[in-house]
Amino acid sequence: MDSSEIAKDDIERASAGASRSGAPQKSSGGTAQAPASNTERRQRVVDEIKRRIVVGEIRPGQRIIEAELTSSLDVSRPTAREALNQMARDGFLIQEAYRGLRVADIQSDSLLDIARIRVALDTEAISEILADKTGRRMEALEDAWRTFEKATAESDPLALHEAHVRFHRGIWEAADNYLLMRIWPVMEAQMTIVLAYDQFTRTNPARAHAIHAALMRAIRTGDPAQIRTALDVHTMDSAQELALLTPESTD
């Protein structure tokens, strides 16, 4: 570790110490600001890598260079390493012996595997929403849908991606199922890689909105057959179409 890296790490530790002691820091304008915690700095790195994946700045299979990351984000190597390890645990990144970390690949077989699991878990979540006699879970889903509809008016690919992921998280959250939310980070990682590839391969926001609207209409009927058909169109058919555009390996 060179002297500049040691200094940067010392500054981050000092900031964390000030945070623990409750001592505020001051900006150049003299306004007191709470220093960023280790968790906040780590999350900033995670969020930035996700953004780069979504907008196509980092592609599936591409190596992640830790030194480049620390320089571009102005964080210490320990902070960057913690963020990268977290993303590897969640499935965004793959650790390779002697080669470091790379963004997870998109391959036709894995696309279809992910789609089948998504259909099964979405079906379970929707079943639990509809089983709630109070209507509270369905109203939570309707809230998620209204948020999605507003966001799809955006032309920014990052905003569209985040709206898409939030809507699907909203389905699982509305189900109020503890286990679904425990495994959500892994599913979100897989969805992020797939949706990012989908966005820069065949961008079509109108088509995406129409498929989701059809899914919501099916859910409102409460008919399991209609719901399963809508999920198959939304998830399985889309995955099969994307698989035809996907190289066998991005190595």
mmCIF file of all heavy atoms in Angstrom, residues 140-175:
data_model
loop_
_atom_site.group_PDB
_atom_site.id
_atom_site.type_symbol
_atom_site.label_atom_id
_atom_site.label_comp_id
_atom_site.label_asym_id
_atom_site.label_seq_id
_atom_site.Cartn_x
_atom_site.Cartn_y
_atom_site.Cartn_z
ATOM 1 N N ALA A 140 -50.714 -2.553 -1.327
ATOM 2 C CA ALA A 140 -49.267 -2.311 -1.379
ATOM 3 C C ALA A 140 -48.742 -2.564 -2.796
ATOM 4 O O ALA A 140 -47.888 -1.820 -3.302
ATOM 5 C CB ALA A 140 -48.540 -3.199 -0.379
ATOM 6 N N LEU A 141 -49.262 -3.605 -3.441
ATOM 7 C CA LEU A 141 -48.855 -3.895 -4.818
ATOM 8 C C LEU A 141 -49.336 -2.786 -5.762
ATOM 9 O O LEU A 141 -48.597 -2.369 -6.665
ATOM 10 C CB LEU A 141 -49.407 -5.241 -5.263
ATOM 11 C CG LEU A 141 -49.126 -5.639 -6.718
ATOM 12 C CD1 LEU A 141 -47.630 -5.621 -7.016
ATOM 13 C CD2 LEU A 141 -49.718 -7.011 -7.026
ATOM 14 N N GLU A 142 -50.561 -2.316 -5.563
ATOM 15 C CA GLU A 142 -51.069 -1.224 -6.401
ATOM 16 C C GLU A 142 -50.204 0.028 -6.237
ATOM 17 O O GLU A 142 -49.956 0.763 -7.210
ATOM 18 C CB GLU A 142 -52.528 -0.915 -6.054
ATOM 19 C CG GLU A 142 -53.516 -2.019 -6.411
ATOM 20 C CD GLU A 142 -53.788 -2.131 -7.910
ATOM 21 O OE1 GLU A 142 -53.193 -1.354 -8.697
ATOM 22 O OE2 GLU A 142 -54.586 -3.001 -8.299
ATOM 23 N N ASP A 143 -49.735 0.285 -5.023
ATOM 24 C CA ASP A 143 -48.833 1.419 -4.797
ATOM 25 C C ASP A 143 -47.545 1.245 -5.603
ATOM 26 O O ASP A 143 -47.039 2.202 -6.208
ATOM 27 C CB ASP A 143 -48.494 1.552 -3.317
ATOM 28 C CG ASP A 143 -49.633 2.147 -2.506
ATOM 29 O OD1 ASP A 143 -50.552 2.739 -3.106
ATOM 30 O OD2 ASP A 143 -49.607 2.017 -1.260
ATOM 31 N N ALA A 144 -47.008 0.017 -5.582
ATOM 32 C CA ALA A 144 -45.786 -0.260 -6.332
ATOM 33 C C ALA A 144 -46.021 -0.060 -7.832
ATOM 34 O O ALA A 144 -45.152 0.464 -8.546
ATOM 35 C CB ALA A 144 -45.309 -1.683 -6.060
ATOM 36 N N TRP A 145 -47.204 -0.456 -8.303
ATOM 37 C CA TRP A 145 -47.533 -0.295 -9.712
ATOM 38 C C TRP A 145 -47.656 1.182 -10.090
ATOM 39 O O TRP A 145 -47.146 1.612 -11.132
ATOM 40 C CB TRP A 145 -48.822 -1.035 -10.043
ATOM 41 C CG TRP A 145 -49.342 -0.732 -11.423
ATOM 42 C CD1 TRP A 145 -50.483 -0.070 -11.750
ATOM 43 C CD2 TRP A 145 -48.702 -1.069 -12.662
ATOM 44 N NE1 TRP A 145 -50.605 0.029 -13.116
ATOM 45 C CE2 TRP A 145 -49.528 -0.568 -13.712
ATOM 46 C CE3 TRP A 145 -47.519 -1.727 -12.981
ATOM 47 C CZ2 TRP A 145 -49.201 -0.717 -15.043
ATOM 48 C CZ3 TRP A 145 -47.194 -1.874 -14.338
ATOM 49 C CH2 TRP A 145 -48.027 -1.374 -15.348
ATOM 50 N N ARG A 146 -48.303 1.976 -9.247
ATOM 51 C CA ARG A 146 -48.440 3.404 -9.549
ATOM 52 C C ARG A 146 -47.075 4.086 -9.611
ATOM 53 O O ARG A 146 -46.832 4.940 -10.473
ATOM 54 C CB ARG A 146 -49.336 4.081 -8.497
ATOM 55 C CG ARG A 146 -50.810 3.739 -8.648
ATOM 56 C CD ARG A 146 -51.675 4.582 -7.736
ATOM 57 N NE ARG A 146 -51.576 4.170 -6.338
ATOM 58 C CZ ARG A 146 -52.382 3.287 -5.770
ATOM 59 N NH1 ARG A 146 -53.343 2.693 -6.476
ATOM 60 N NH2 ARG A 146 -52.246 2.976 -4.493
ATOM 61 N N THR A 147 -46.178 3.692 -8.722
ATOM 62 C CA THR A 147 -44.819 4.238 -8.743
ATOM 63 C C THR A 147 -44.105 3.859 -10.034
ATOM 64 O O THR A 147 -43.417 4.678 -10.656
ATOM 65 C CB THR A 147 -44.019 3.726 -7.526
ATOM 66 O OG1 THR A 147 -44.679 4.129 -6.325
ATOM 67 C CG2 THR A 147 -42.594 4.278 -7.537
ATOM 68 N N PHE A 148 -44.295 2.612 -10.448
ATOM 69 C CA PHE A 148 -43.674 2.129 -11.689
ATOM 70 C C PHE A 148 -44.195 2.912 -12.892
ATOM 71 O O PHE A 148 -43.428 3.334 -13.763
ATOM 72 C CB PHE A 148 -43.963 0.639 -11.867
ATOM 73 C CG PHE A 148 -43.480 0.071 -13.173
ATOM 74 C CD1 PHE A 148 -42.144 -0.238 -13.364
ATOM 75 C CD2 PHE A 148 -44.370 -0.162 -14.214
ATOM 76 C CE1 PHE A 148 -41.692 -0.758 -14.573
ATOM 77 C CE2 PHE A 148 -43.937 -0.686 -15.424
ATOM 78 C CZ PHE A 148 -42.592 -0.990 -15.605
ATOM 79 N N GLU A 149 -45.508 3.117 -12.939
ATOM 80 C CA GLU A 149 -46.101 3.818 -14.077
ATOM 81 C C GLU A 149 -45.565 5.245 -14.194
ATOM 82 O O GLU A 149 -45.295 5.726 -15.292
ATOM 83 C CB GLU A 149 -47.623 3.845 -13.948
ATOM 84 C CG GLU A 149 -48.299 2.550 -14.362
ATOM 85 C CD GLU A 149 -49.710 2.797 -14.860
ATOM 86 O OE1 GLU A 149 -50.518 3.277 -14.054
ATOM 87 O OE2 GLU A 149 -49.984 2.521 -16.039
ATOM 88 N N LYS A 150 -45.417 5.926 -13.072
ATOM 89 C CA LYS A 150 -44.883 7.284 -13.109
ATOM 90 C C LYS A 150 -43.445 7.288 -13.611
ATOM 91 O O LYS A 150 -43.041 8.150 -14.401
ATOM 92 C CB LYS A 150 -44.939 7.915 -11.715
ATOM 93 C CG LYS A 150 -46.351 8.218 -11.230
ATOM 94 C CD LYS A 150 -46.313 8.779 -9.816
ATOM 95 C CE LYS A 150 -47.726 9.019 -9.269
ATOM 96 N NZ LYS A 150 -47.694 9.487 -7.858
ATOM 97 N N ALA A 151 -42.673 6.315 -13.163
ATOM 98 C CA ALA A 151 -41.246 6.280 -13.497
ATOM 99 C C ALA A 151 -41.007 5.908 -14.956
ATOM 100 O O ALA A 151 -39.992 6.306 -15.542
ATOM 101 C CB ALA A 151 -40.510 5.301 -12.589
ATOM 102 N N THR A 152 -41.917 5.164 -15.574
ATOM 103 C CA THR A 152 -41.692 4.733 -16.947
ATOM 104 C C THR A 152 -41.816 5.880 -17.943
ATOM 105 O O THR A 152 -41.524 5.709 -19.128
ATOM 106 C CB THR A 152 -42.672 3.608 -17.350
ATOM 107 O OG1 THR A 152 -44.021 4.002 -17.043
ATOM 108 C CG2 THR A 152 -42.339 2.322 -16.622
ATOM 109 N N ALA A 153 -42.250 7.040 -17.476
ATOM 110 C CA ALA A 153 -42.275 8.219 -18.345
ATOM 111 C C ALA A 153 -40.867 8.773 -18.554
ATOM 112 O O ALA A 153 -40.631 9.581 -19.450
ATOM 113 C CB ALA A 153 -43.175 9.294 -17.744
ATOM 114 N N GLU A 154 -39.927 8.311 -17.736
ATOM 115 C CA GLU A 154 -38.540 8.785 -17.835
ATOM 116 C C GLU A 154 -37.856 8.190 -19.068
ATOM 117 O O GLU A 154 -38.146 7.071 -19.475
ATOM 118 C CB GLU A 154 -37.752 8.388 -16.588
ATOM 119 C CG GLU A 154 -38.269 8.993 -15.304
ATOM 120 C CD GLU A 154 -37.870 10.449 -15.159
ATOM 121 O OE1 GLU A 154 -36.940 10.869 -15.865
ATOM 122 O OE2 GLU A 154 -38.498 11.148 -14.354
ATOM 123 N N SER A 155 -36.948 8.954 -19.654
ATOM 124 C CA SER A 155 -36.170 8.445 -20.790
ATOM 125 C C SER A 155 -34.788 7.958 -20.353
ATOM 126 O O SER A 155 -34.094 7.297 -21.119
ATOM 127 C CB SER A 155 -36.009 9.542 -21.848
ATOM 128 O OG SER A 155 -35.366 10.683 -21.294
ATOM 129 N N ASP A 156 -34.413 8.285 -19.118
ATOM 130 C CA ASP A 156 -33.100 7.889 -18.604
ATOM 131 C C ASP A 156 -33.071 6.386 -18.358
ATOM 132 O O ASP A 156 -33.913 5.852 -17.631
ATOM 133 C CB ASP A 156 -32.823 8.642 -17.303
ATOM 134 C CG ASP A 156 -31.534 8.190 -16.651
ATOM 135 O OD1 ASP A 156 -30.535 8.050 -17.372
ATOM 136 O OD2 ASP A 156 -31.528 7.969 -15.433
ATOM 137 N N PRO A 157 -32.110 5.657 -18.965
ATOM 138 C CA PRO A 157 -32.072 4.199 -18.810
ATOM 139 C C PRO A 157 -31.886 3.741 -17.364
ATOM 140 O O PRO A 157 -32.422 2.714 -16.971
ATOM 141 C CB PRO A 157 -30.891 3.761 -19.684
ATOM 142 C CG PRO A 157 -30.080 4.998 -19.894
ATOM 143 C CD PRO A 157 -31.050 6.134 -19.870
ATOM 144 N N LEU A 158 -31.129 4.517 -16.568
ATOM 145 C CA LEU A 158 -30.937 4.147 -15.168
ATOM 146 C C LEU A 158 -32.246 4.265 -14.400
ATOM 147 O O LEU A 158 -32.602 3.382 -13.609
ATOM 148 C CB LEU A 158 -29.862 5.018 -14.527
ATOM 149 C CG LEU A 158 -29.535 4.709 -13.058
ATOM 150 C CD1 LEU A 158 -29.039 3.281 -12.907
ATOM 151 C CD2 LEU A 158 -28.505 5.695 -12.522
ATOM 152 N N ALA A 159 -33.005 5.346 -14.651
ATOM 153 C CA ALA A 159 -34.301 5.528 -13.980
ATOM 154 C C ALA A 159 -35.271 4.428 -14.372
ATOM 155 O O ALA A 159 -36.012 3.902 -13.530
ATOM 156 C CB ALA A 159 -34.882 6.896 -14.334
ATOM 157 N N LEU A 160 -35.269 4.043 -15.638
ATOM 158 C CA LEU A 160 -36.157 2.972 -16.101
ATOM 159 C C LEU A 160 -35.789 1.633 -15.454
ATOM 160 O O LEU A 160 -36.659 0.873 -15.019
ATOM 161 C CB LEU A 160 -36.081 2.853 -17.622
ATOM 162 C CG LEU A 160 -36.708 3.991 -18.419
ATOM 163 C CD1 LEU A 160 -36.351 3.872 -19.904
ATOM 164 C CD2 LEU A 160 -38.220 4.008 -18.238
ATOM 165 N N HIS A 161 -34.495 1.381 -15.397
ATOM 166 C CA HIS A 161 -34.036 0.129 -14.769
ATOM 167 C C HIS A 161 -34.440 0.078 -13.302
ATOM 168 O O HIS A 161 -34.969 -0.930 -12.826
ATOM 169 C CB HIS A 161 -32.525 0.007 -14.888
ATOM 170 C CG HIS A 161 -31.951 -1.116 -14.076
ATOM 171 N ND1 HIS A 161 -31.890 -2.405 -14.541
ATOM 172 C CD2 HIS A 161 -31.462 -1.138 -12.809
ATOM 173 C CE1 HIS A 161 -31.376 -3.178 -13.599
ATOM 174 N NE2 HIS A 161 -31.112 -2.435 -12.541
ATOM 175 N N GLU A 162 -34.187 1.175 -12.580
ATOM 176 C CA GLU A 162 -34.513 1.193 -11.153
ATOM 177 C C GLU A 162 -36.009 1.049 -10.927
ATOM 178 O O GLU A 162 -36.440 0.386 -9.973
ATOM 179 C CB GLU A 162 -33.991 2.492 -10.525
ATOM 180 C CG GLU A 162 -32.465 2.529 -10.444
ATOM 181 C CD GLU A 162 -31.943 3.851 -9.910
ATOM 182 O OE1 GLU A 162 -32.721 4.840 -9.906
ATOM 183 O OE2 GLU A 162 -30.769 3.895 -9.508
ATOM 184 N N ALA A 163 -36.822 1.638 -11.805
ATOM 185 C CA ALA A 163 -38.281 1.498 -11.687
ATOM 186 C C ALA A 163 -38.699 0.055 -11.881
ATOM 187 O O ALA A 163 -39.573 -0.465 -11.164
ATOM 188 C CB ALA A 163 -38.969 2.391 -12.715
ATOM 189 N N HIS A 164 -38.079 -0.613 -12.841
ATOM 190 C CA HIS A 164 -38.390 -2.018 -13.122
ATOM 191 C C HIS A 164 -38.060 -2.896 -11.919
ATOM 192 O O HIS A 164 -38.889 -3.700 -11.465
ATOM 193 C CB HIS A 164 -37.581 -2.467 -14.351
ATOM 194 C CG HIS A 164 -38.034 -3.755 -14.941
ATOM 195 N ND1 HIS A 164 -37.685 -4.145 -16.207
ATOM 196 C CD2 HIS A 164 -38.806 -4.765 -14.451
ATOM 197 C CE1 HIS A 164 -38.215 -5.323 -16.467
ATOM 198 N NE2 HIS A 164 -38.891 -5.718 -15.417
ATOM 199 N N VAL A 165 -36.858 -2.721 -11.389
ATOM 200 C CA VAL A 165 -36.441 -3.533 -10.239
ATOM 201 C C VAL A 165 -37.304 -3.229 -9.016
ATOM 202 O O VAL A 165 -37.706 -4.141 -8.279
ATOM 203 C CB VAL A 165 -34.944 -3.298 -9.930
ATOM 204 C CG1 VAL A 165 -34.544 -4.002 -8.632
ATOM 205 C CG2 VAL A 165 -34.083 -3.808 -11.088
ATOM 206 N N ARG A 166 -37.622 -1.942 -8.791
ATOM 207 C CA ARG A 166 -38.462 -1.570 -7.648
ATOM 208 C C ARG A 166 -39.842 -2.215 -7.734
ATOM 209 O O ARG A 166 -40.414 -2.623 -6.726
ATOM 210 C CB ARG A 166 -38.620 -0.043 -7.565
ATOM 211 C CG ARG A 166 -37.558 0.667 -6.769
ATOM 212 C CD ARG A 166 -38.006 2.066 -6.347
ATOM 213 N NE ARG A 166 -38.528 2.835 -7.458
ATOM 214 C CZ ARG A 166 -37.790 3.607 -8.247
ATOM 215 N NH1 ARG A 166 -36.481 3.690 -8.043
ATOM 216 N NH2 ARG A 166 -38.351 4.302 -9.218
ATOM 217 N N PHE A 167 -40.388 -2.280 -8.939
ATOM 218 C CA PHE A 167 -41.713 -2.887 -9.089
ATOM 219 C C PHE A 167 -41.683 -4.357 -8.690
ATOM 220 O O PHE A 167 -42.554 -4.838 -7.957
ATOM 221 C CB PHE A 167 -42.206 -2.748 -10.532
ATOM 222 C CG PHE A 167 -43.488 -3.492 -10.791
ATOM 223 C CD1 PHE A 167 -44.671 -3.106 -10.171
ATOM 224 C CD2 PHE A 167 -43.514 -4.591 -11.636
ATOM 225 C CE1 PHE A 167 -45.857 -3.800 -10.394
ATOM 226 C CE2 PHE A 167 -44.690 -5.292 -11.868
ATOM 227 C CZ PHE A 167 -45.862 -4.892 -11.247
ATOM 228 N N HIS A 168 -40.670 -5.077 -9.147
ATOM 229 C CA HIS A 168 -40.600 -6.504 -8.805
ATOM 230 C C HIS A 168 -40.276 -6.712 -7.327
ATOM 231 O O HIS A 168 -40.782 -7.657 -6.706
ATOM 232 C CB HIS A 168 -39.601 -7.216 -9.716
ATOM 233 C CG HIS A 168 -40.152 -7.439 -11.083
ATOM 234 N ND1 HIS A 168 -41.039 -8.449 -11.364
ATOM 235 C CD2 HIS A 168 -39.994 -6.735 -12.232
ATOM 236 C CE1 HIS A 168 -41.391 -8.388 -12.634
ATOM 237 N NE2 HIS A 168 -40.781 -7.352 -13.182
ATOM 238 N N ARG A 169 -39.469 -5.843 -6.776
ATOM 239 C CA ARG A 169 -39.267 -5.901 -5.323
ATOM 240 C C ARG A 169 -40.587 -5.615 -4.617
ATOM 241 O O ARG A 169 -40.898 -6.230 -3.594
ATOM 242 C CB ARG A 169 -38.207 -4.877 -4.890
ATOM 243 C CG ARG A 169 -37.963 -4.881 -3.377
ATOM 244 C CD ARG A 169 -37.031 -3.765 -2.937
ATOM 245 N NE ARG A 169 -36.945 -3.730 -1.493
ATOM 246 C CZ ARG A 169 -35.988 -4.285 -0.769
ATOM 247 N NH1 ARG A 169 -34.996 -4.931 -1.361
ATOM 248 N NH2 ARG A 169 -35.995 -4.202 0.553
ATOM 249 N N GLY A 170 -41.372 -4.682 -5.175
ATOM 250 C CA GLY A 170 -42.671 -4.351 -4.590
ATOM 251 C C GLY A 170 -43.610 -5.538 -4.534
ATOM 252 O O GLY A 170 -44.391 -5.681 -3.576
ATOM 253 N N ILE A 171 -43.555 -6.404 -5.550
ATOM 254 C CA ILE A 171 -44.387 -7.618 -5.530
ATOM 255 C C ILE A 171 -44.001 -8.489 -4.343
ATOM 256 O O ILE A 171 -44.851 -8.972 -3.591
ATOM 257 C CB ILE A 171 -44.243 -8.405 -6.847
ATOM 258 C CG1 ILE A 171 -44.799 -7.599 -8.025
ATOM 259 C CG2 ILE A 171 -44.955 -9.767 -6.754
ATOM 260 C CD1 ILE A 171 -44.594 -8.261 -9.380
ATOM 261 N N TRP A 172 -42.698 -8.678 -4.161
ATOM 262 C CA TRP A 172 -42.241 -9.535 -3.057
ATOM 263 C C TRP A 172 -42.504 -8.882 -1.710
ATOM 264 O O TRP A 172 -42.893 -9.571 -0.752
ATOM 265 C CB TRP A 172 -40.752 -9.839 -3.231
ATOM 266 C CG TRP A 172 -40.452 -10.802 -4.341
ATOM 267 C CD1 TRP A 172 -41.233 -11.047 -5.453
ATOM 268 C CD2 TRP A 172 -39.312 -11.640 -4.460
ATOM 269 N NE1 TRP A 172 -40.634 -11.979 -6.248
ATOM 270 C CE2 TRP A 172 -39.450 -12.367 -5.673
ATOM 271 C CE3 TRP A 172 -38.182 -11.843 -3.691
ATOM 272 C CZ2 TRP A 172 -38.494 -13.286 -6.106
ATOM 273 C CZ3 TRP A 172 -37.230 -12.745 -4.115
ATOM 274 C CH2 TRP A 172 -37.385 -13.471 -5.313
ATOM 275 N N GLU A 173 -42.297 -7.573 -1.621
ATOM 276 C CA GLU A 173 -42.556 -6.881 -0.358
ATOM 277 C C GLU A 173 -44.037 -6.951 0.011
ATOM 278 O O GLU A 173 -44.389 -7.147 1.179
ATOM 279 C CB GLU A 173 -42.131 -5.419 -0.456
ATOM 280 C CG GLU A 173 -40.638 -5.210 -0.379
ATOM 281 C CD GLU A 173 -40.256 -3.746 -0.473
ATOM 282 O OE1 GLU A 173 -41.026 -2.963 -1.074
ATOM 283 O OE2 GLU A 173 -39.183 -3.382 0.055
ATOM 284 N N ALA A 174 -44.914 -6.799 -0.981
ATOM 285 C CA ALA A 174 -46.351 -6.843 -0.720
ATOM 286 C C ALA A 174 -46.778 -8.204 -0.191
ATOM 287 O O ALA A 174 -47.746 -8.311 0.567
ATOM 288 C CB ALA A 174 -47.129 -6.504 -1.989
ATOM 289 N N ALA A 175 -46.057 -9.258 -0.573
ATOM 290 C CA ALA A 175 -46.385 -10.603 -0.095
ATOM 291 C C ALA A 175 -46.123 -10.760 1.397
ATOM 292 O O ALA A 175 -46.655 -11.669 2.041
ATOM 293 C CB ALA A 175 -45.590 -11.648 -0.869
#
